[in-house]
Amino acid sequence: MSTTEKRDIRALSQQELRGFFVEKGEKPFRGDQVFEWLWHKGAHHFDDMTNLSLALRTLLEEHFSINHIAISRMQQSKDGTIKNAVTLHDDMIVESVLIPTPKRTTACVSSQVGCSLNCQFCATAKLKRMRNLNPDEIFDQVIAINQQSQKYFGRKLSNIVFMGMGEPLMNYNNVIKAIDKITAEKGLQMSPKRITLSTSGIPKMIKKMADDGVKFNLALSLHSAIQEVREKIMPFCSKFPLEDLIESLQYWFEKTGRITTLEYLIWKGINDREEDRNALVDFAKKVPCKVNIITYNSIDEDRFVQAGPVTVKAYVDILEKNRIPVTIRRSRGEDIDAACGQLANKF
Ligand code: SAH
């Protein structure tokens, strides 16, 4: 059988793997073993599956391929952050980032090649969306970063954020399938509490996630709580009025009991006025949340300039005065273009 006729074995469910072995006159538990090799141990070759006989490995080889990612380039920042260029089986490239802190290692993973949204301040948006990542391509980024964490920092990966390239809610089914494998008993066994999905805010999908009973955390890229301003910096938002977004986040809280993290960038002359701050306070009063002020990473767009410390402090003060939890996120990996919004395959 030629390679092109072979199916990617990772498109099969555990049940389908069992079915395959039964059909070949083998015991169903062989399917469980293969599943564990693929999703717990992250095997990339049938020969790695050492508890299967050579005959069974050859059988698998005849019918299936294991399409896996390859880290084609790795760069390390002065602050320890590692950026990976990840080549997919069709030679497309995405990026993923390992962010170390004294206590944690966080993987920042991509969900799409490019992005279909048009946030004016984000480098990924310039690429347009080329395709969705498959569940295994998302999973593989996590496996690779887990290995790097062990190799370079002597500890396991502790957190995952969907803040790489792409809009995860535009590739919802595959993201959910990947998270299932990441959290599964027979998979990576990571707690969903340590996973955060960041979205630019698609109300219908936020409600769907709440209905689906997902167990991970939600972050929303708000950046402005004034519809007119938000539409200027994130033009796709014209389809999603802020009222709908508020309603969906209220629904999320009712269903899941979890608050939303509001991600917020502050730029000179864009959202640095008093009315911008008041609008954020009003928004945050309606939605159970905490605010995370992010530092803007420059992407060669003259329009966007990070606001100064006085403006940032004015935001922090008014939020604190209104008892809204607020934190400031430090930028990491800027020297290698690995920071938020800088992922764009520069080389
Ligand atoms: N599409 C998703 C996830 C990817 S972006 C989302 O929009 O949430 C991850 C975070 O980086 C978002 O909060 C996004 O607004 C932010 N971001 C984008 N460009 C940035 C930049 N140049 N500097 C800092 N943060 C940026």
Side-chain angles (χ1 to χ4, degrees), residues 108-109 111-112 115 117 119-124 162-169 197-201 219-223 234 236 263-265 267 294-299 329 331 339-342:
C108 175
V109 297
S111 56
Q112 298 182 310
C115 189
L117 303 182
C119 305
Q120 304 290 296
F121 48 84
C122 178
T124 308
F162 283 83
M163 295 185 189
M165 294 169 143
E167 168 48 50
L169 294 191
L197 182 148
S198 175
T199 177
S200 49
L220 169 80
S221 303
L222 185 62
H223 309 320
M234 303 162 86
F236 72 91
E263 299 167 275
Y264 204 91
L265 288 158
W267 299 282
I294 319 175
T295 311
Y296 174 61
N297 301 305
S298 177
I299 60 149
R329 191 204 292 164
S331 179
C340 274
Q342 290 187 317

Side-chain angles (χ1 to χ4, degrees), residues 207-269:
K207 284 188 168 175
K208 176 165 172 39
M209 267 197 305
D211 285 335
D212 288 349
V214 300
K215 298 275 183 282
F216 48 79
N217 302 299
L218 178 63
L220 169 80
S221 303
L222 185 62
H223 309 320
S224 173
I226 299 174
Q227 180 69 20
E228 206 193 325
V229 177
R230 198 160 186 260
E231 275 180 34
K232 273 198 196 129
I233 55 178
M234 303 162 86
F236 72 91
C237 291
S238 56
K239 284 186 273 166
F240 308 115
L242 280 170
E243 300 85 75
D244 293 357
L245 200 50
I246 291 174
E247 198 211 317
S248 71
L249 296 174
Q250 288 168 338
Y251 188 81
W252 166 266
F253 181 73
E254 277 163 33
K255 285 263 168 171
T256 67
R258 262 165 286 138
I259 66 168
T260 302
T261 300
L262 303 181
E263 299 167 275
Y264 204 91
L265 288 158
I266 310 170
W267 299 282
K268 279 187 189 150

